[in-house]
Amino acid sequence: MKGIYENYMKLEFASKSNNEAFARIAVAAFASQLDPSIEELADIKTAVSEAVTNCIIHGYEEKDGIVKIECMILANTISIEISDTGKGIEDIETAKEPLYTSKPDLERSGMGFTIMESFMDEMKVESVLGLGTKVTMKKMIKKEAKEESTYV
Amino acid sequence: MNATYNKEDKLLILEITEEIDHHTTEKIRRKADYEIERFSPKRTIFDFNKVTFMDSAGIGMLIGRYKLVTMLGGTMEMVHVKPSIMKIFEMCGIPKIIKVG
Ligand SMILES: Nc1ncnc2c1ncn2[C@@H]1O[C@H](COP(=O)(O)OP(=O)(O)O)[C@@H](O)[C@H]1O
Ligand SMILES: [Mg+2]
């Protein structure tokens, strides 16, 4: 992850489904230093869960692999990069369409990218067939009234 | 997940007690299908009171159960859904198909 930042973390873990909860909780804990609202934190957890699950089911097709997460904080924005070195996506635009899934047999809803896109402020997908996929998401944590000072 | 069946009302209540993601849906699906097929209930209620997290894996799982329940001539609904999860249901257009409260 390039660029300037005030804080940074990196996580790498095996592509096992029981790491999905670990990943979203770890990112939420890192994000909590921005003092997000409960709703903002829930949005981040859901988006991370979607991206990590995609690496495990689609990228590695439930075989062994490593999922990587990098997070960066700058001012009141958190950037989250989630990547795999799995099979890659042939047509990113189609993959991002609501309800599109390449695995309907697994009762997938095809709503993962749609959720990531609407729960975060920005989402970018980069992928090379046979090399892997990287999803970069950003969310600005809004300053709320609780931050205001009172002068007497 | 806890299952309670009321014979008189042909009512099956499935209380989900874990976070719902790709990891946990397999177990929830197996248990739910077992109870639904066993009783063929008139009404199936998924109680979300204890559910603090759900991602899109839950949507796929619930639509699958909805298909099974309706195929057996019953109805399905979700109750006690927290706002953060309701947001996902709404985004996926679930309230138009399945009763959610
Ligand atoms: N990391 C990934 N590696 C390979 N393919 C992916 C990856 N992430 C997503 N995809 C592709 O994009 C499609 C849409 O993803 P998504 O919106 O999350 O829906 P779902 O996971 O329910 O299929 C997937 O079905 C898959 O074909
Ligand atoms: Mg997905």
Side-chain angles (χ1 to χ4, degrees), chain A residues 52-71:
Chain A
V52 168
T53 303
N54 280 352
C55 296
I56 295 171
I57 320 184
H58 304 298
Y60 295 120
E61 300 192 294
E62 319 230 11
K63 292 182 197 82
D64 289 348
I66 297 291
V67 179
K68 190 164 109 183
I69 301 184
E70 285 185 82
C71 291

Side-chain angles (χ1 to χ4, degrees), chain B residues 64-82:
Chain B
R65 305 306 55 75
Y66 175 73
K67 285 181 183 160
L68 176 64
V69 160
T70 49
M71 194 186 75
L72 295 170
T75 62
M76 176 174 144
E77 61 202 273
M78 276 87 80
V79 298
H80 301 137
V81 176
K82 292 187 174 54

